Amino acid sequence: MIELLRTNDAVIISFVESLMRDAGIRCFVADSNMSILDGSVGILPRRVMIDGERADEARRILTDAGIANEMR
């Protein structure tokens, strides 16, 4: 798996998960439980991980959705 994006924004993470699910691309949100360490303030970013074989397609989907600036 490779990192598609890293952000603190829960709305963007949810949106990306939805886009990937609709496209049939498996994704995993890493570091989602790290908020326990930062006191639930949201300062530690979470990473959206995807299969490397579908990275180009996933990046194109995010670009089409207007959130390309969030990608790594």
Side-chain angles (χ1 to χ4, degrees), residues 27-61:
C27 72
F28 170 74
V29 179
D31 308 322
S32 59
N33 293 322
M34 293 300 288
S35 64
I36 294 167
L37 296 176
D38 71 11
S40 298
V41 207
I43 59 172
L44 297 174
R46 286 167 278 178
R47 298 173 291 151
V48 177
M49 311 293 287
I50 59 164
D51 289 327
E53 301 147 359
R54 311 255 337 244
D56 290 337
E57 181 183 358
R59 288 184 180 109
R60 188 173 55 252
I61 290 168

